Amino acid sequence: MDPEPKELRWIHDVFGNCVAVLDFKGAAKALHFETAIRLDHTPQHAPDFRIDEAALSYPFSYESDEATDLSQTIERHHPDEGDEIGKWARQFLSAGGKTETGTLLMTLCYAIHESFVYSRRTEPGTQPPLVTLHLRRGTCRDFALFMMEAVRSLGFAARFVTGYIYVPTRDKLEVRGGGSTHAWCQVYLPGAGWVEFDPTNGIVGNRELIRVAVARHPRQAIPLSGSYSGSASSFLGMDVEVKVTRE
């Protein structure tokens, strides 16, 4: 990194994510971070995840011990007075009263992928889920948050994931989110644990997804944050480039 930090320390946040905390001394004209990691990735392909028999069909209830720990990830986080997101999600329920849990979640994921338009946005932050529903357009982080609120409206526990996606070839335009950080979500299923859903690309399971951190809300998983001393006009912009290759 440039400039060299005065101090570097590592902590674990409330979600167990590993976070680097840096402190700099003196002035600099630019700030540059470069990180290289090498890892073994074991893909989990859908629908290989195994769900407890009691949760195979929706609706179901989490066990009391799990429900206590999951409560904040089940609770909806954004206003929706008319329950528009809930109505959108419930259209995928079976009219017969019971819906296969795995099928329901995969259908929700694929519906966002197929009927919403992906659009890069450089502005910080995540747009409210109702805006995403009305526009039918957004970034990967917008789609992840929208799916989280949709499944939460049905009583599922969901959390936000930030990381990277492996794009086999730059010419493969149907893979969205490459070249930068990527976002998707996880849904907790008894017996299977936290299962990955990437509504931007219609991926179920962690195929080609490299998880870096998880959080209850996108604002808790910002890849790089901090403050500096100087005038507002001193900030000229930020560039991000991510390369994920297979050995």
Side-chain angles (χ1 to χ4, degrees), residues 1 5 7 30 35 49 51 63 66-67 92-93 102 107 113 118 121 125 133 156 162 165 176 189 211:
M1 63 191 70
E7 181 184 18
T35 303
F49 52 87
I51 306 174
E63 292 186 1
E66 289 184 331
F92 302 105
L93 298 177
T107 302
H113 170 62
Y118 173 76
R121 191 178 69 252
L133 178 62
F156 290 96
T162 183
I165 184 169
R176 305 158 180 169
L189 299 174
R211 182 175 65 252

Side-chain angles (χ1 to χ4, degrees), residues 32-241:
H32 177 246
F33 291 93
E34 183 173 346
T35 303
I37 60 173
R38 180 179 179 180
L39 51 83
D40 291 325
H41 183 58
T42 304
Q44 178 194 43
H45 296 281
D48 290 344
F49 52 87
R50 298 184 180 181
I51 306 174
D52 284 349
E53 186 173 351
L56 284 173
S57 296
Y58 176 87
F60 68 89
S61 297
Y62 292 116
E63 292 186 1
S64 57
D65 284 347
E66 289 184 331
T68 299
D69 294 323
L70 295 170
S71 60
Q72 291 300 306
T73 57
I74 298 173
E75 179 181 299
R76 296 178 67 174
H77 288 45
H78 292 266
D80 182 9
E81 292 183 6
D83 194 27
E84 294 181 59
I85 296 173
K87 293 174 183 175
W88 181 88
R90 286 193 293 275
Q91 70 178 306
F92 302 105
L93 298 177
S94 171
K98 285 286 187 179
T99 306
E100 187 179 349
T101 302
T103 300
L104 169 61
L105 294 172
M106 287 189 284
T107 302
L108 278 167
C109 180
Y110 298 148
I112 297 170
H113 170 62
E114 293 172 1
S115 60
F116 288 59
V117 177
Y118 173 76
S119 176
R120 282 186 181 271
R121 191 178 69 252
T122 57
E123 294 84 359
T126 307
Q127 67 189 17
L130 269 180
V131 173
T132 302
L133 178 62
H134 293 161
L135 294 178
R136 300 294 173 117
R137 175 183 298 271
T139 65
C140 58
R141 60 188 185 274
D142 300 328
F143 293 161
L145 180 59
F146 176 75
M147 181 166 177
M148 288 165 60
E149 288 293 284
V151 300
R152 283 170 174 171
S153 75
L154 300 176
F156 290 96
R159 61 186 187 183
F160 184 84
V161 186
T162 183
Y164 310 112
I165 184 169
Y166 170 65
V167 182
T169 170
R170 284 299 195 190
D171 297 326
K172 196 171 182 181
L173 298 179
E174 66 268 23
V175 179
R176 305 158 180 169
S180 185
T181 53
H182 188 49
W184 59 97
C185 68
Q186 293 178 330
V187 180
Y188 187 81
L189 299 174
W194 291 103
V195 179
E196 321 265 344
F197 291 88
D198 177 6
T200 302
N201 293 294
I203 296 174
V204 180
N206 66 350
R207 174 177 52 88
E208 298 175 348
L209 299 175
I210 302 169
R211 182 175 65 252
V212 173
V214 297
R216 176 174 48 83
H217 192 277
R219 65 172 175 269
Q220 299 168 309
I222 299 174
L224 180 65
S225 64
S227 60
Y228 71 95
S229 297
S231 64
S233 60
S234 296
F235 180 71
L236 300 178
M238 180 175 65
D239 295 317
V240 178
E241 183 179 7

